[in-house]
Amino acid sequence: MKILVTGGYGLIGHNVVARLKQQGHQTYIVDNKTNYGIIPQSEIDYLMSERAKKLDYHLHYNTNIVDTDNIDYVVKTTQPEVLVHMASFPRQKVVNANPQLGADVMMRGLINLLESARAHGVRRFVYISSSMVYGDFTDQVTEDAVCNPQGQYGIMKLAGEWLVKDYARRTGMEYVIIRPSAVYGPLDVEDRVVAKFMLTAMRGETLRVNGASETLDFTYVDDAADGIVAAALEVGAANDTYNITKSHSVSLLQAAQMVVDIVGRGSIEVRNKDADFPSRGALNIDKARERLGYDPQVDVEEGFHAYYNWIDNSVYWSPKTV
């Protein structure tokens, strides 16, 4: 099967591409390898190089999804049956830093892809949304819960879901919407909560916890990638929305303490909750288990250990933790 993956060099994206290739699918990547204006270029260059090693040979289009003509050329040329759309501003902080560019990528870029998918006969459009669309929620929130996003990132992700559904309604194209949460693991950037905790502890510095009782549904990257691949391929997944997480909430204070224990260094400072972020719990994944055969395998402590071992042996990060 021909499958086009936007953001195929991302943390989750390159793992999705690797799995699709292992299953014999013909994969194509669209990724402009951006640093979003906030990540050191040397870090991005290292991560992209390491991610590429896992993919072996593949056809990569180095273009921006906001470039209408180039994106249409890619979709027309590759003729994918399935388009997995993962290219996006990745989190609220990045959108807040440049909301105009964030909106351009998350809205205009999405419409470019949907228009090209419609024009060139893409059968299924897989849209990677976010648990941020729910806003505040407690444990076991299901996909049919009322969404009340807080902040531009969650609002635009939810708007993207509605755009995808509307194109599917009008064209007959299948859609699948995925809502992941707090994905982490090897080859991630430093500017995310688990990576920040880990590297701060390894440097013997203070981990700052914004809200001791705030929780996240931390999901190991391999599990997230498995769920997305299943959503792309499973016939019965069509025209629905799925939570793809570990489905287990851990407080930020527990996560920080776990990291300090694993690393053997670092201290913890508890501060007030970050008002820019909603309070979140664990997502219910019963539908994904039933329809996709999704079965996340890596618990938080095991995942944190694996991530620590990767950082400790990384030629880029290890010298920076002394």
Side-chain angles (χ1 to χ4, degrees), residues 98-265:
N98 195 336
Q100 293 87 353
L101 185 56
D104 210 26
V105 172
M106 296 177 72
M107 295 286 94
R108 181 177 159 202
L110 172 60
I111 289 174
N112 282 345
L113 288 163
L114 287 166
E115 278 292 310
S116 293
R118 174 196 59 77
H120 303 299
V122 171
R123 177 175 57 82
R124 175 175 292 188
F125 195 99
V126 182
Y127 175 66
I128 310 306
S129 183
S130 169
S131 62
M132 293 287 281
V133 301
Y134 292 114
D136 290 323
F137 65 90
T138 55
D139 283 350
Q140 294 304 306
V141 66
T142 58
E143 293 88 345
D144 59 358
V146 174
C147 292
N148 186 26
Q150 300 175 22
Q152 293 173 341
Y153 175 78
I155 290 168
M156 285 192 284
K157 280 294 188 183
L158 184 59
E161 292 188 10
W162 282 101
L163 282 169
V164 170
K165 289 179 180 179
D166 188 62
Y167 269 81
R169 176 188 62 81
R170 291 189 288 115
T171 67
M173 178 172 56
E174 294 178 357
Y175 75 86
V176 181
I177 293 169
I178 300 297
R179 294 171 178 166
S181 174
V183 179
Y184 70 96
L187 296 176
D188 199 0
V189 298
E190 179 175 4
D191 191 45
R192 266 201 272 255
V193 60
V194 178
K196 279 184 178 179
F197 279 178
M198 198 70 68
L199 287 160
T200 300
M202 293 175 76
R203 292 165 182 151
E205 298 171 354
T206 301
L207 286 66
R208 292 177 172 83
V209 174
N210 296 325
S213 61
E214 293 299 303
T215 64
L216 285 174
D217 191 348
F218 293 105
T219 308
Y220 195 64
V221 65
D222 288 1
D223 288 331
D226 286 342
I228 292 168
V229 168
L233 302 178
E234 176 59 47
V235 173
N239 303 324
D240 217 333
T241 301
Y242 302 90
N243 294 329
I244 296 294
T245 73
K246 177 58 180 172
S247 191
H248 177 69
S249 60
V250 175
S251 75
L252 293 179
L253 182 57
Q254 288 174 315
Q257 188 60 59
M258 199 179 303
V259 168
V260 169
D261 291 343
I262 289 169
V263 174
R265 284 191 290 171

Side-chain angles (χ1 to χ4, degrees), residues 61 273 302 307:
Y61 293 90
K273 175 185 180 298
E302 179 185 356
Y307 191 26

Side-chain angles (χ1 to χ4, degrees), residues 25-50:
H25 298 285
Q26 190 170 350
T27 58
Y28 309 96
I29 290 175
V30 170
D31 199 310
N32 65 351
K33 301 183 179 181
T34 181
N35 65 3
Y36 305 102
I38 64 171
I39 302 168
Q41 191 60 47
S42 61
E43 180 181 343
I44 285 292
D45 291 344
Y46 165 72
L47 292 172
M48 293 298 173
S49 175
E50 291 298 302

